Amino acid sequence: MPPPTRVCVRCKSTKSKCVNFDPGQWPDGPIARKCDRCARLGFDCVPAPSAVPKPRAPRKAKTAAGGGLLLNVAPSPLVTRALQQIPGTTTSSATETLSYVLSPGASPLAARYVLRAIATTARRRGTFELIEFVAALCRHYDIPLDDVLSECLSQTPSPVGCGDGLPPFFARKLAAEEGTYVNVRVRRDGVASFHANEAFERSFATTAEMYRAFDSSALEINSLFVHREDMPLIRRLYGELFRSCVPDEVLGGTTRQPVRAYDRTSHSYALFDCRGALLILHGGRYFVGLVELSAAAYPPASSLASLPSASDPPPKPGPTP
């Protein structure tokens, strides 16, 4: 219950100064003393009702086109310029993926690994905005900037047991039987390499196209074959893999529903189950990712009915400048 008010009804209503008013034990007993004004004018003098403060609604974080989390860390122009310099993705997709990786509940290592990967790219390309963006994220997550940048200078060794090739899990996937379409991406010290089995290159995208898309920073690699409306499914899959990252351990998952991919051999879209895998080595300086497509075993009827027209194929990267 709020404490007794120190002003009477009449003084409050006329916005007059209430002098020498004492409510006593009101409302359980009579007031102790009228205010000078009510006593002089012969008015009843009773306490004005106390205002009960309303609970304040929780403040909402700033949001903007999927990037509210990042805008709380750094100014919008810096975020935009920095994300434009991350190769192999677009500003919107980088924002969405980083929002998954850096949001509360992620692995404590996720932010450190992702920042180290971005910093490696920034150091190699000499991009000031990207370095400044990394520094802002390090301050926000209380990660020493020296820990992120110092490891970007030396050469990362190859994973144990695979020489200059791929880690065994990914090498086996590339050599898998017909019927699966496998694409492996490696990011080592900021340098990307792409691998695909013959079926994938024949039906979806060649590694040469992936290199061009990566260098352009205007196309997502997956947008070369996945319909644009299904791209959030793959971003979410990889965002969740990054959030759960464990060093030196392959993590895998599948999209929540089949994705629509454009098959160049049939010149049409079809539904595919999509599996992803991720391996992070050397503290975030060596990433290996996998996208594996296989014909959807039990495609939902609603998805079959919504297959896009073959006249709307995915974009292709332009020639290398």
Side-chain angles (χ1 to χ4, degrees):
M1 181 176 179
T5 183
R6 306 299 298 184
V7 63
C8 73
V9 171
R10 291 184 180 274
C11 288
K12 185 174 183 179
S13 65
T14 58
K15 298 184 180 180
S16 302
K17 188 173 182 180
C18 195
V19 181
N20 292 328
F21 175 65
D22 184 353
Q25 299 300 315
W26 180 273
D28 298 326
I31 64 170
R33 182 172 62 246
K34 287 185 177 184
C35 73
D36 292 354
R37 182 171 178 271
C38 288
R40 185 178 72 253
L41 298 175
F43 293 147
D44 291 333
C45 191
V46 294
S50 297
V52 179
K54 296 181 180 179
R56 297 180 64 181
R59 296 181 64 184
K60 294 183 179 180
K62 298 178 182 178
T63 57
L69 173 71
L70 300 183
L71 295 183
N72 289 338
V73 175
S76 178
L78 173 61
V79 173
T80 301
R81 291 195 305 271
L83 296 183
Q84 286 172 344
Q85 296 171 5
I86 299 179
T89 187
T90 62
T91 300
S92 60
S93 64
T95 299
E96 189 172 340
T97 301
L98 283 173
S99 295
Y100 280 123
V101 175
L102 302 176
S103 59
S107 161
L109 297 174
R112 189 180 298 268
Y113 286 174
V114 169
L115 292 181
R116 194 166 287 156
I118 296 175
T120 303
T121 299
R123 291 291 281 267
R124 178 170 291 276
R125 294 194 166 205
T127 53
F128 171 76
E129 288 89 356
L130 207 49
I131 288 287
E132 190 177 353
F133 180 54
V134 169
L137 288 168
C138 285
R139 288 193 297 269
H140 183 79
Y141 289 96
D142 198 23
I143 297 173
L145 182 60
D146 287 345
D147 289 356
V148 172
L149 297 182
S150 61
E151 296 196 14
C152 304
L153 301 176
S154 59
Q155 177 78 18
T156 300
S158 298
V160 176
C162 62
D164 292 329
L166 294 171
F169 171 85
F170 298 92
R172 288 195 300 269
K173 283 291 184 180
L174 280 175
E177 68 280 359
E178 189 71 21
T180 59
Y181 307 87
V182 180
N183 168 222
V184 176
R185 302 96 184 266
V186 178
R187 188 83 67 89
R188 179 179 176 181
D189 290 330
V191 178
S193 61
F194 299 94
H195 311 264
N197 64 3
E198 183 180 346
F200 189 96
E201 290 207 74
R202 183 174 61 247
S203 295
F204 296 115
T206 65
T207 53
E209 289 172 325
M210 295 178 211
Y211 279 110
R212 292 203 299 272
F214 180 83
D215 290 336
S216 73
S217 297
L219 283 175
E220 291 180 75
I221 306 299
N222 296 318
S223 70
L224 297 175
F225 51 92
V226 174
H227 192 270
R228 58 182 176 274
E229 293 177 358
D230 291 345
M231 289 298 296
L233 293 170
I234 296 185
R235 293 174 197 152
R236 184 182 186 93
L237 169 61
Y238 269 92
E240 290 175 348
L241 291 177
F242 272 111
R243 282 172 57 83
S244 308
C245 66
V246 178
D248 306 329
E249 182 177 322
V250 178
L251 298 181
T254 58
T255 54
R256 298 191 171 192
Q257 63 190 57
V259 300
R260 294 167 290 181
Y262 187 80
D263 188 338
R264 297 179 180 180
T265 59
S266 63
H267 303 287
S268 63
Y269 281 93
L271 283 172
F272 293 86
D273 293 322
C274 179
R275 174 179 173 78
L278 179 69
L279 173 64
I280 301 177
L281 300 168
H282 300 294
R285 295 175 57 200
Y286 194 118
F287 286 80
V288 188
L290 171 138
V291 172
E292 180 180 12
L293 300 176
S294 56
Y298 303 101
S302 58
S303 297
L304 287 172
S306 64
L307 284 176
S309 166
S311 62
D312 183 27
K316 289 187 178 182
T320 302

